[in-house]
Structures are given as C-alpha cells and as structure tokens.
Amino acid sequence: MYKLLSHNDLDGVGCGILAKLAFEDQAKVRYNSISSLDREIEYFLEHDQQDMFLFITDLSPSEENEKRLNDFYNATGNVQLLDHHKTANHLNDYQWAKVLVEDEKGCLNSATSLFYKYLVTHGLLEKTNVITEFVELVRQYDTWEWEKNNNQQAHRLNTLFFLVSIEEFEEKMLERLKTSEHFDFDEFEMKILNMEEDKIERYIRRKRRELVQTAMGEYFVGVVYAESYHSELGNELGKENVHLDFIAILNMGGKKISFRTIHNHIDVSAIAEDFGGGGHQKAAGCTLTDVAYEQFVAQTFHIKPIPEDAKRNRYNVRFSLFGALYKNLEDEIFLLYPITDVDWIMEKNKLPLDHIFTSFNEAEWFLKRNYQAWLVKDDLFVEYLKEETKKTRYHKGM
C-alpha cells in the first residue's frame, strides 16, 4: 500500500493523479493545505501500517516531524519526499528527501514533474505522450513558464482545476490519461473555459480600481483584497503597474495572503517566509498572522486606491515627444518630456526637478513610485496646453 500526502493546488493534485495511475487502488491520497500537512503526518505515524510507503509531494513538514519521519525511515525505509521549493532545500540533508528547484538543464521543476520522473525511473509508471504532455502543462503553470511561453493551454488547465471539484478533476484527468494519445480539452470544457475567461476579465477590471500602493521597507507594494483568481489578478496588476515590486492579494475570508511579482530581481518566497509562509520566486503565500495583518491591513486600509492611467488617449500618451501629463491624489501636476534623444526631465507643478532621467521608463517609474501619479485624459492635457500657450502669448505681447 502507498499513501500520498500532497498539496491541494494543481501541482499537488497532479501528483495525486500520477499516484493513482501508478498504484490504482493501492494508493491512498490526501490533499492538504500548508498548515494541515503536519497533522496528516502525525496521524500516519500513529495509525497507519508500518509496511505502508509514504510519499510527500509539494509540501514540507515541520522540524519536529522531520525528526519523526527520519526515525520512521531508519526503521522501515518507507518514506520519500519530493519538493521543488527552495525554502525546503534543508531537507536534502535526509536520505528520504529530494528537493530540486531546477533540473540538470536549468529547467524549473514542479512537484508533478519530479514525481513523474521518480515513478518512471523506478519502473512504477509507463511513460506515455499524453501523461508527459499533462505533466509539462502542470509544470509550466506552476513555475510560471506558461506566461513567458504564452502557453494558454497550461493556464486553461489551472482554470479548469478551479472550475470543478478535485474529485471531478481527478476523474476527468485519469480517464483522459488512460485512453488518449495526446492531451486536449473536450468541447464542453472549452465552452466553460471561454465563459470563465470572460468572467476573470470582468473581475480583474473591477479589482484594478481597488489597488492601493504603499512602501514597505525597501519595497513598493500593491495591495488588493480578492478571494478569487489570485494568479491571474497578480499577473495583470503586476504588468500594469511595473513600478511596483510585488502585489499582495489579501483573502480575508481565508485569512491568507498571496504574493505575486513579474520581476526577476524580486523573490516573493523570501517575503512570504518572513511571515511564516513560502513558495516560488514569483508566486508565494502565507497565512494572515497578527504581524502580517498589521503590515498589510492595518497600515494600508486608509490609503486611497491608485487611479488608472487613461487608456484611450490620442494626444496625452506615454513616450510622446510633446510631453506626457500626470496627476496625483494631491492634485499635483507632473509633465515628463525629453530634452535630448535620450534624456528626460520632470516638471512638478510646472517647476523642473533637478534629476535628469536616461529614459521615459525610468522617469515614469520614479514618478509612480514616489508620487503615485497617473496619466490624465486627453481633455485635461489639451486644457493644460491651452493655458501654457496663453501665457506664452501674453509674455510675448509684453
């Protein structure tokens, strides 16, 4: 008999599907949140049979349970942990654990891809095209390679995962992986996925108007309250607000925080770890502890949301050689314009700042981080230009 304790996200459930393919009715699978894993480990060690083999995937135990698992392994040899989070690297000190963030080619691992390789290598599961394709979709989604590769099929697999129960998702995937030559969605799934994508787009559009900006130590952070679509929301808000280092998404009902970043130089798993959580470089999370509540809720609740940049302008546009006009919540006006082919300057309330910027992006990044200003609509820009023209004519007339 085999028992698998895995995470309750797509990557964790991917491991469960592989276990059921490999061991069929000989496998007992339990999906867990980060906080519930240790209870399951303790139950296993106290109640399950000594000849049962324990797999742990996509999660890591507490320090106390590490020692208990090590004693169980020394007595039976029946433990294997597979994980890909760098916060679990210390577990490589144990014979029964393998934590590998990247493979030998520098490709990011997922728990599903690690477990698949383990099962195939040990002759426990036959490698097929359809299973390999499924595993790769899970890996790309979990490591966010799908976004870089524009792999919408990986994104849609995760969307489908959240549209149905875990039991129904398992059933669908097991049947497909047993009977199909290649992985694809059926006609009904495509219809509900198209409907869900429209719903996600509307949800993100609403949440854009609720994002607040704050400084936290060395970081500039966007904070938003949301109970759904954390990955999609964090990705879109990050791309639309590149001046922010990361996005913190607060699920007050679940008392959790999700962290997302689009930047390669930011590691949100380290930020999550400061609050007792963990995850990947670009996607991580933690529970809403008292310390996290004070930082992300109490200190930001009074802040007004960031207005969005005007999107349908013809004249007041980014990179314009005539200048781009911005405004903040204090009604301060900012104008960015070039003085050479490469240098840009910024005026605040019609007075130039001392700093010279080497690109428009650098100037706008500085402006949005320090003044939380947004690109105004064309009508305000035209009115501004009219006023400046009148002043110029008046001074010439004198």
Side-chain angles (χ1 to χ4, degrees), residues 379-393:
D379 55 348
L380 291 177
F381 180 60
V382 171
E383 189 63 32
Y384 177 88
L385 293 180
K386 285 181 179 178
E387 290 180 8
E388 292 303 296
T389 302
K390 287 179 183 178
K391 289 180 182 179
T392 302
R393 288 176 179 171

Side-chain angles (χ1 to χ4, degrees), residues 4-20 29-33 36-37 40 57 59 161 166-167 170:
L4 171 72
L5 302 180
S6 193
H7 199 193
N8 55 7
D9 66 354
L10 175 64
D11 191 26
V13 174
C15 294
I17 291 168
L18 293 181
K20 292 184 177 183
V29 178
R30 296 279 292 181
Y31 299 117
N32 302 272
S33 64
S36 66
L37 173 67
E40 287 289 342
T57 55
L59 291 169
F161 172 74
I166 288 179
E167 292 76 15
E170 278 187 325

Side-chain angles (χ1 to χ4, degrees), residues 33-226:
S33 64
I34 295 172
S35 59
S36 66
L37 173 67
D38 285 306
R39 292 196 300 271
E40 287 289 342
I41 291 173
E42 290 161 8
Y43 183 90
F44 172 85
L45 295 174
E46 293 170 5
H47 296 92
D48 284 319
Q49 301 174 15
Q50 292 290 302
D51 60 351
M52 181 176 286
F53 196 101
L54 176 65
F55 287 105
I56 302 172
T57 55
D58 207 31
L59 291 169
S60 55
S62 66
E63 185 176 348
E64 181 181 350
N65 277 331
E66 288 175 24
K67 297 173 182 176
R68 298 182 68 187
L69 286 169
N70 197 50
D71 291 340
F72 180 79
Y73 175 81
N74 289 333
T76 67
N78 291 344
V79 184
Q80 179 65 61
L81 180 143
L82 297 167
D83 198 6
H84 62 123
H85 299 100
K86 69 177 185 178
T87 50
N89 272 333
H90 65 282
L91 294 173
N92 283 320
D93 292 339
Y94 297 104
Q95 288 183 294
W96 46 268
K98 183 175 183 179
V99 180
L100 197 61
V101 178
E102 298 179 348
D103 65 15
E104 60 278 0
K105 297 179 181 178
C107 184
L108 291 172
N109 289 313
S110 69
T112 301
S113 64
L114 285 171
F115 194 37
Y116 184 44
K117 185 174 182 179
Y118 176 94
L119 293 171
V120 171
T121 301
H122 288 78
L124 300 169
L125 181 63
E126 181 183 353
K127 187 174 184 178
T128 66
N129 288 332
V130 66
I131 299 176
T132 301
E133 290 167 7
F134 169 77
V135 169
E136 178 60 11
L137 291 177
V138 173
R139 188 197 68 80
Q140 286 208 28
Y141 184 82
D142 197 66
T143 61
W144 278 87
E145 280 190 24
W146 76 269
E147 210 267 338
K148 180 177 68 176
N149 301 332
N150 194 29
N151 189 339
Q152 293 301 316
Q153 194 175 31
H155 181 236
R156 286 188 156 200
L157 180 64
N158 186 70
T159 301
L160 181 64
F161 172 74
F162 282 104
L163 282 174
V164 298
S165 67
I166 288 179
E167 292 76 15
E168 186 177 352
F169 184 80
E170 278 187 325
E171 185 179 343
K172 284 176 174 288
M173 294 304 109
L174 285 169
E175 177 64 22
R176 197 158 308 172
L177 299 181
K178 289 177 180 178
T179 60
S180 302
E181 292 187 9
H182 295 281
F183 187 89
D184 209 348
F185 301 108
D186 62 32
E187 184 178 354
F188 175 74
E189 289 167 350
M190 289 299 296
K191 286 182 179 179
I192 64 172
L193 285 168
N194 288 334
M195 293 171 60
E196 183 68 6
E197 286 169 3
D198 290 340
K199 182 179 176 182
I200 292 171
E201 186 177 341
R202 293 193 300 271
Y203 187 81
I204 292 173
R205 193 159 57 239
R206 176 161 59 89
K207 289 300 173 181
R208 285 192 188 107
R209 301 190 290 268
E210 300 175 8
L211 182 70
V212 304
Q213 175 178 326
T214 187
M216 294 184 180
E218 63 183 297
Y219 300 112
F220 283 84
V221 186
V223 179
V224 67
Y225 293 83

Side-chain angles (χ1 to χ4, degrees), residues 257-279:
I257 308 178
S258 295
F259 301 105
R260 298 291 187 273
T261 185
I262 63 166
H263 301 294
N264 293 328
H265 67 283
I266 301 295
D267 185 355
V268 292
S269 70
I271 296 164
E273 194 172 2
D274 289 340
F275 297 97

